[in-house]
Short mmCIF file of all heavy atoms in Angstrom, two decimals:
data_model
loop_
_atom_site.label_atom_id
_atom_site.label_comp_id
_atom_site.label_asym_id
_atom_site.label_seq_id
_atom_site.Cartn_x
_atom_site.Cartn_y
_atom_site.Cartn_z
N ILE A 451 -9.51 12.06 1.01
CA ILE A 451 -10.10 12.76 2.14
C ILE A 451 -11.60 12.86 1.92
O ILE A 451 -12.06 13.50 0.97
CB ILE A 451 -9.49 14.17 2.31
CG1 ILE A 451 -7.99 14.04 2.59
CG2 ILE A 451 -10.18 14.92 3.43
CD1 ILE A 451 -7.28 15.37 2.74
N ALA A 452 -12.36 12.21 2.79
CA ALA A 452 -13.81 12.21 2.67
C ALA A 452 -14.39 13.57 3.01
O ALA A 452 -13.80 14.34 3.79
CB ALA A 452 -14.42 11.13 3.57
N SER A 453 -15.53 13.86 2.45
CA SER A 453 -16.23 15.11 2.76
C SER A 453 -16.83 15.07 4.15
O SER A 453 -17.26 14.02 4.63
CB SER A 453 -17.33 15.36 1.73
OG SER A 453 -16.80 15.50 0.43
N THR A 454 -16.86 16.20 4.81
CA THR A 454 -17.52 16.34 6.10
C THR A 454 -17.83 17.81 6.33
O THR A 454 -17.18 18.69 5.76
CB THR A 454 -16.65 15.80 7.25
OG1 THR A 454 -17.37 15.90 8.49
CG2 THR A 454 -15.35 16.58 7.38
N SER A 455 -18.82 18.05 7.17
CA SER A 455 -19.11 19.42 7.57
C SER A 455 -18.28 19.83 8.78
O SER A 455 -18.33 20.98 9.22
CB SER A 455 -20.60 19.58 7.89
OG SER A 455 -20.97 18.70 8.95
N ARG A 456 -17.51 18.90 9.32
CA ARG A 456 -16.68 19.20 10.50
C ARG A 456 -15.49 20.08 10.11
O ARG A 456 -14.97 20.01 9.00
CB ARG A 456 -16.17 17.91 11.14
CG ARG A 456 -17.28 17.03 11.70
CD ARG A 456 -16.71 15.87 12.49
NE ARG A 456 -17.79 15.07 13.07
CZ ARG A 456 -18.45 15.38 14.19
NH1 ARG A 456 -18.14 16.49 14.84
NH2 ARG A 456 -19.40 14.60 14.64
N SER A 457 -15.05 20.89 11.04
CA SER A 457 -13.86 21.71 10.83
C SER A 457 -12.60 20.86 10.97
O SER A 457 -12.56 19.89 11.73
CB SER A 457 -13.81 22.86 11.84
OG SER A 457 -14.90 23.74 11.65
N VAL A 458 -11.57 21.23 10.23
CA VAL A 458 -10.29 20.53 10.27
C VAL A 458 -9.17 21.56 10.36
O VAL A 458 -9.14 22.52 9.59
CB VAL A 458 -10.07 19.64 9.03
CG1 VAL A 458 -8.73 18.93 9.12
CG2 VAL A 458 -11.21 18.64 8.86
N GLN A 459 -8.25 21.34 11.29
CA GLN A 459 -7.05 22.16 11.41
C GLN A 459 -5.85 21.31 11.02
O GLN A 459 -5.69 20.18 11.52
CB GLN A 459 -6.87 22.68 12.83
CG GLN A 459 -5.52 23.33 13.14
CD GLN A 459 -5.33 24.66 12.43
OE1 GLN A 459 -6.09 25.59 12.64
NE2 GLN A 459 -4.31 24.73 11.59
N ALA A 460 -4.98 21.83 10.14
CA ALA A 460 -3.76 21.13 9.77
C ALA A 460 -2.58 22.08 9.90
O ALA A 460 -2.66 23.25 9.50
CB ALA A 460 -3.85 20.60 8.34
N GLY A 461 -1.50 21.59 10.45
CA GLY A 461 -0.29 22.38 10.65
C GLY A 461 0.40 21.98 11.93
O GLY A 461 0.35 20.81 12.34
N TYR A 462 1.07 22.92 12.57
CA TYR A 462 1.70 22.62 13.86
C TYR A 462 1.70 23.87 14.72
O TYR A 462 1.52 25.00 14.25
CB TYR A 462 3.12 22.08 13.69
CG TYR A 462 4.11 23.01 13.03
CD1 TYR A 462 4.67 24.10 13.70
CD2 TYR A 462 4.51 22.80 11.71
CE1 TYR A 462 5.58 24.94 13.11
CE2 TYR A 462 5.43 23.63 11.09
CZ TYR A 462 5.96 24.70 11.80
OH TYR A 462 6.87 25.55 11.19
N ASP A 463 1.89 23.64 16.02
CA ASP A 463 1.93 24.74 16.98
C ASP A 463 2.91 24.36 18.09
O ASP A 463 3.22 23.18 18.29
CB ASP A 463 0.53 24.98 17.56
CG ASP A 463 0.37 26.36 18.18
OD1 ASP A 463 1.25 27.22 18.00
OD2 ASP A 463 -0.65 26.58 18.87
N THR A 464 3.40 25.36 18.79
CA THR A 464 4.34 25.15 19.88
C THR A 464 3.83 25.82 21.14
O THR A 464 2.90 26.63 21.10
CB THR A 464 5.73 25.71 19.53
OG1 THR A 464 5.59 27.09 19.17
CG2 THR A 464 6.36 24.96 18.38
N LYS A 465 4.47 25.48 22.25
CA LYS A 465 4.12 26.13 23.50
C LYS A 465 4.24 27.64 23.34
O LYS A 465 5.25 28.14 22.84
CB LYS A 465 5.05 25.65 24.62
CG LYS A 465 4.89 24.17 24.95
CD LYS A 465 5.92 23.72 25.98
CE LYS A 465 5.78 22.23 26.26
NZ LYS A 465 6.82 21.74 27.19
N ASN A 466 3.19 28.33 23.74
CA ASN A 466 3.10 29.79 23.61
C ASN A 466 3.16 30.27 22.16
O ASN A 466 3.28 31.47 21.91
CB ASN A 466 4.20 30.47 24.43
CG ASN A 466 4.12 30.12 25.89
OD1 ASN A 466 3.03 30.11 26.47
ND2 ASN A 466 5.24 29.79 26.50
N SER A 467 3.11 29.32 21.20
CA SER A 467 3.02 29.64 19.77
C SER A 467 4.17 30.48 19.25
O SER A 467 4.00 31.31 18.36
CB SER A 467 1.67 30.31 19.47
OG SER A 467 0.61 29.42 19.74
N SER A 468 5.37 30.24 19.81
CA SER A 468 6.53 30.94 19.26
C SER A 468 6.78 30.52 17.81
O SER A 468 7.35 31.28 17.02
CB SER A 468 7.77 30.66 20.11
OG SER A 468 7.98 29.27 20.25
N HIS A 469 6.36 29.30 17.45
CA HIS A 469 6.41 28.81 16.08
C HIS A 469 5.08 28.12 15.79
O HIS A 469 4.59 27.34 16.60
CB HIS A 469 7.56 27.82 15.87
CG HIS A 469 8.90 28.40 16.18
ND1 HIS A 469 9.58 29.19 15.28
CD2 HIS A 469 9.69 28.30 17.27
CE1 HIS A 469 10.74 29.56 15.82
NE2 HIS A 469 10.83 29.03 17.02
N HIS A 470 4.52 28.40 14.62
CA HIS A 470 3.27 27.75 14.23
C HIS A 470 3.07 27.90 12.74
O HIS A 470 3.60 28.82 12.11
CB HIS A 470 2.07 28.36 14.99
CG HIS A 470 1.91 29.83 14.77
ND1 HIS A 470 1.20 30.36 13.71
CD2 HIS A 470 2.38 30.90 15.46
CE1 HIS A 470 1.23 31.68 13.77
NE2 HIS A 470 1.95 32.03 14.82
N ILE A 471 2.34 26.96 12.18
CA ILE A 471 2.01 26.95 10.74
C ILE A 471 0.57 26.49 10.59
O ILE A 471 0.16 25.51 11.22
CB ILE A 471 2.94 26.01 9.96
CG1 ILE A 471 4.31 26.64 9.74
CG2 ILE A 471 2.33 25.60 8.62
CD1 ILE A 471 4.37 27.73 8.69
N ASN A 472 -0.18 27.17 9.76
CA ASN A 472 -1.49 26.70 9.31
C ASN A 472 -1.36 26.30 7.84
O ASN A 472 -0.94 27.12 7.01
CB ASN A 472 -2.55 27.81 9.41
CG ASN A 472 -2.98 28.08 10.83
OD1 ASN A 472 -3.57 27.24 11.48
ND2 ASN A 472 -2.66 29.27 11.32
N ILE A 473 -1.72 25.07 7.51
CA ILE A 473 -1.77 24.70 6.10
C ILE A 473 -2.98 25.40 5.48
O ILE A 473 -4.08 25.37 6.05
CB ILE A 473 -1.84 23.18 5.93
CG1 ILE A 473 -0.51 22.55 6.36
CG2 ILE A 473 -2.16 22.81 4.48
CD1 ILE A 473 -0.45 21.05 6.18
N PRO A 474 -2.81 26.06 4.34
CA PRO A 474 -3.92 26.78 3.72
C PRO A 474 -5.14 25.88 3.52
O PRO A 474 -5.02 24.74 3.08
CB PRO A 474 -3.34 27.23 2.38
CG PRO A 474 -1.87 27.33 2.63
CD PRO A 474 -1.54 26.23 3.59
N GLY A 475 -6.28 26.41 3.88
CA GLY A 475 -7.53 25.65 3.83
C GLY A 475 -8.00 25.17 5.17
O GLY A 475 -9.15 24.72 5.31
N SER A 476 -7.14 25.25 6.20
CA SER A 476 -7.54 24.84 7.53
C SER A 476 -8.77 25.61 8.00
O SER A 476 -8.90 26.82 7.73
CB SER A 476 -6.40 25.07 8.52
OG SER A 476 -5.31 24.21 8.26
N LEU A 477 -9.66 24.90 8.66
CA LEU A 477 -10.89 25.48 9.23
C LEU A 477 -11.76 26.16 8.16
O LEU A 477 -12.47 27.12 8.45
CB LEU A 477 -10.56 26.46 10.36
CG LEU A 477 -9.77 25.86 11.53
CD1 LEU A 477 -9.44 26.95 12.55
CD2 LEU A 477 -10.55 24.74 12.21
N SER A 478 -11.68 25.64 6.93
CA SER A 478 -12.51 26.18 5.85
C SER A 478 -13.27 25.04 5.18
O SER A 478 -13.01 23.86 5.42
CB SER A 478 -11.64 26.90 4.81
OG SER A 478 -11.03 25.97 3.93
N ASN A 479 -14.19 25.41 4.30
CA ASN A 479 -14.94 24.41 3.55
C ASN A 479 -14.07 23.69 2.53
O ASN A 479 -14.50 22.69 1.94
CB ASN A 479 -16.13 25.07 2.83
CG ASN A 479 -17.16 25.60 3.80
OD1 ASN A 479 -17.30 25.10 4.91
ND2 ASN A 479 -17.89 26.63 3.38
N ASN A 480 -12.85 24.18 2.30
CA ASN A 480 -11.96 23.58 1.33
C ASN A 480 -11.04 22.52 1.92
O ASN A 480 -10.18 21.98 1.22
CB ASN A 480 -11.09 24.67 0.68
CG ASN A 480 -11.90 25.70 -0.05
OD1 ASN A 480 -12.90 25.38 -0.69
ND2 ASN A 480 -11.50 26.96 0.06
N ALA A 481 -11.22 22.19 3.20
CA ALA A 481 -10.31 21.25 3.85
C ALA A 481 -10.57 19.80 3.46
O ALA A 481 -9.64 18.99 3.43
CB ALA A 481 -10.41 21.39 5.37
N THR A 482 -11.81 19.46 3.15
CA THR A 482 -12.15 18.06 2.93
C THR A 482 -12.83 17.85 1.59
O THR A 482 -13.16 18.80 0.89
CB THR A 482 -13.06 17.54 4.06
OG1 THR A 482 -14.33 18.21 4.00
CG2 THR A 482 -12.43 17.76 5.43
N GLY A 483 -13.03 16.57 1.27
CA GLY A 483 -13.67 16.22 0.01
C GLY A 483 -12.65 16.06 -1.10
O GLY A 483 -11.44 16.24 -0.92
N PRO A 484 -13.11 15.72 -2.31
CA PRO A 484 -12.18 15.45 -3.43
C PRO A 484 -11.36 16.66 -3.84
O PRO A 484 -10.30 16.50 -4.45
CB PRO A 484 -13.12 15.00 -4.55
CG PRO A 484 -14.47 15.53 -4.18
CD PRO A 484 -14.52 15.51 -2.69
N ASN A 485 -11.82 17.86 -3.52
CA ASN A 485 -11.08 19.07 -3.86
C ASN A 485 -10.37 19.68 -2.65
O ASN A 485 -10.08 20.87 -2.63
CB ASN A 485 -12.01 20.10 -4.49
CG ASN A 485 -12.57 19.62 -5.82
OD1 ASN A 485 -11.84 19.03 -6.62
ND2 ASN A 485 -13.85 19.85 -6.04
N SER A 486 -10.08 18.85 -1.65
CA SER A 486 -9.38 19.33 -0.46
C SER A 486 -8.09 20.04 -0.84
O SER A 486 -7.27 19.52 -1.62
CB SER A 486 -9.05 18.15 0.45
OG SER A 486 -8.08 18.51 1.43
N THR A 487 -7.89 21.22 -0.29
CA THR A 487 -6.65 21.95 -0.57
C THR A 487 -5.44 21.24 0.00
O THR A 487 -4.33 21.39 -0.53
CB THR A 487 -6.72 23.38 -0.01
OG1 THR A 487 -6.98 23.32 1.40
CG2 THR A 487 -7.81 24.18 -0.68
N PHE A 488 -5.61 20.47 1.08
CA PHE A 488 -4.48 19.72 1.62
C PHE A 488 -3.98 18.70 0.60
O PHE A 488 -2.79 18.48 0.46
CB PHE A 488 -4.88 18.96 2.90
CG PHE A 488 -5.49 19.80 3.98
CD1 PHE A 488 -6.33 19.23 4.92
CD2 PHE A 488 -5.24 21.16 4.08
CE1 PHE A 488 -6.89 19.97 5.94
CE2 PHE A 488 -5.80 21.93 5.09
CZ PHE A 488 -6.64 21.33 6.02
N ARG A 489 -4.92 18.08 -0.09
CA ARG A 489 -4.61 16.98 -1.01
C ARG A 489 -4.17 17.48 -2.39
O ARG A 489 -3.32 16.86 -3.03
CB ARG A 489 -5.85 16.11 -1.13
CG ARG A 489 -5.71 14.90 -2.02
CD ARG A 489 -6.96 14.02 -1.91
NE ARG A 489 -6.90 12.91 -2.85
CZ ARG A 489 -7.42 12.94 -4.07
NH1 ARG A 489 -8.01 14.04 -4.51
NH2 ARG A 489 -7.34 11.88 -4.86
N LEU A 490 -4.73 18.58 -2.84
CA LEU A 490 -4.44 19.04 -4.19
C LEU A 490 -3.26 20.00 -4.26
O LEU A 490 -2.66 20.17 -5.31
CB LEU A 490 -5.67 19.72 -4.79
CG LEU A 490 -6.91 18.84 -4.98
CD1 LEU A 490 -8.03 19.63 -5.63
CD2 LEU A 490 -6.58 17.59 -5.78
N ASN A 491 -2.92 20.63 -3.14
CA ASN A 491 -1.86 21.63 -3.13
C ASN A 491 -0.64 21.12 -2.37
O ASN A 491 -0.64 20.01 -1.83
CB ASN A 491 -2.37 22.94 -2.53
CG ASN A 491 -3.46 23.56 -3.38
OD1 ASN A 491 -3.52 23.35 -4.58
ND2 ASN A 491 -4.34 24.33 -2.75
N SER A 492 0.40 21.95 -2.29
CA SER A 492 1.65 21.55 -1.67
C SER A 492 2.54 22.78 -1.52
O SER A 492 2.37 23.76 -2.25
CB SER A 492 2.36 20.52 -2.56
OG SER A 492 3.66 20.21 -2.06
N ASN A 493 3.48 22.72 -0.59
CA ASN A 493 4.52 23.76 -0.54
C ASN A 493 5.85 23.26 -1.08
O ASN A 493 6.86 23.96 -1.00
CB ASN A 493 4.69 24.31 0.89
CG ASN A 493 5.25 23.27 1.85
OD1 ASN A 493 5.20 22.07 1.60
ND2 ASN A 493 5.76 23.73 2.99
N VAL A 494 5.84 22.02 -1.64
CA VAL A 494 7.07 21.45 -2.20
C VAL A 494 6.83 20.84 -3.58
O VAL A 494 7.58 19.98 -4.04
CB VAL A 494 7.70 20.39 -1.25
CG1 VAL A 494 8.26 21.08 -0.01
CG2 VAL A 494 6.69 19.31 -0.87
N ASN A 495 5.76 21.28 -4.24
CA ASN A 495 5.47 20.88 -5.61
C ASN A 495 5.16 19.39 -5.75
O ASN A 495 5.37 18.79 -6.81
CB ASN A 495 6.61 21.26 -6.56
CG ASN A 495 6.13 21.42 -7.99
OD1 ASN A 495 5.01 21.83 -8.24
ND2 ASN A 495 7.00 21.10 -8.93
N VAL A 496 4.67 18.77 -4.69
CA VAL A 496 4.18 17.39 -4.74
C VAL A 496 2.76 17.42 -4.20
O VAL A 496 2.56 17.49 -2.99
CB VAL A 496 5.05 16.44 -3.87
CG1 VAL A 496 4.50 15.02 -3.93
CG2 VAL A 496 6.50 16.48 -4.32
N PRO A 497 1.74 17.45 -5.05
CA PRO A 497 0.37 17.57 -4.57
C PRO A 497 0.05 16.55 -3.47
O PRO A 497 0.33 15.35 -3.62
CB PRO A 497 -0.46 17.32 -5.83
CG PRO A 497 0.41 17.79 -6.94
CD PRO A 497 1.80 17.40 -6.53
N GLY A 498 -0.47 17.05 -2.36
CA GLY A 498 -0.78 16.19 -1.23
C GLY A 498 0.34 16.04 -0.23
O GLY A 498 0.21 15.28 0.73
N ARG A 499 1.45 16.77 -0.42
CA ARG A 499 2.56 16.70 0.54
C ARG A 499 2.96 18.11 0.96
O ARG A 499 3.08 19.02 0.13
CB ARG A 499 3.76 15.98 -0.04
CG ARG A 499 5.00 16.03 0.89
CD ARG A 499 6.12 15.15 0.40
NE ARG A 499 5.75 13.75 0.52
CZ ARG A 499 6.45 12.76 -0.03
NH1 ARG A 499 7.53 13.02 -0.75
NH2 ARG A 499 6.06 11.50 0.13
N TRP A 500 3.19 18.26 2.26
CA TRP A 500 3.64 19.53 2.83
C TRP A 500 4.86 19.22 3.70
O TRP A 500 4.84 18.26 4.49
CB TRP A 500 2.52 20.16 3.65
CG TRP A 500 1.30 20.42 2.83
CD1 TRP A 500 0.35 19.49 2.43
CD2 TRP A 500 0.90 21.66 2.26
NE1 TRP A 500 -0.60 20.09 1.65
CE2 TRP A 500 -0.30 21.43 1.53
CE3 TRP A 500 1.43 22.96 2.30
CZ2 TRP A 500 -0.96 22.44 0.85
CZ3 TRP A 500 0.77 23.96 1.63
CH2 TRP A 500 -0.42 23.71 0.91
N ALA A 501 5.91 20.00 3.58
CA ALA A 501 7.17 19.73 4.27
C ALA A 501 7.60 20.96 5.07
O ALA A 501 7.56 22.08 4.57
CB ALA A 501 8.26 19.35 3.26
N PHE A 502 8.04 20.70 6.30
CA PHE A 502 8.42 21.78 7.20
C PHE A 502 9.67 21.40 7.99
O PHE A 502 9.79 20.26 8.46
CB PHE A 502 7.29 22.08 8.20
CG PHE A 502 5.96 22.35 7.56
CD1 PHE A 502 4.98 21.36 7.52
CD2 PHE A 502 5.69 23.56 6.95
CE1 PHE A 502 3.75 21.60 6.92
CE2 PHE A 502 4.47 23.82 6.34
CZ PHE A 502 3.50 22.82 6.32
#
Side-chain angles (χ1 to χ4, degrees):
I451 299 179
S453 297
T454 182
S455 60
R456 296 188 177 280
S457 296
V458 180
Q459 169 69 60
Y462 61 76
D463 199 11
T464 55
K465 295 175 182 176
N466 301 316
S467 297
S468 55
H469 301 280
H470 58 87
I471 283 285
N472 286 294
I473 291 183
S476 293
L477 301 177
S478 80
N479 294 333
N480 299 322
T482 66
N485 295 319
S486 165
T487 57
F488 305 155
R489 181 173 175 268
L490 297 182
N491 296 333
S492 174
N493 66 341
V494 290
N495 205 32
V496 179
R499 174 172 291 169
W500 301 78
F502 307 101

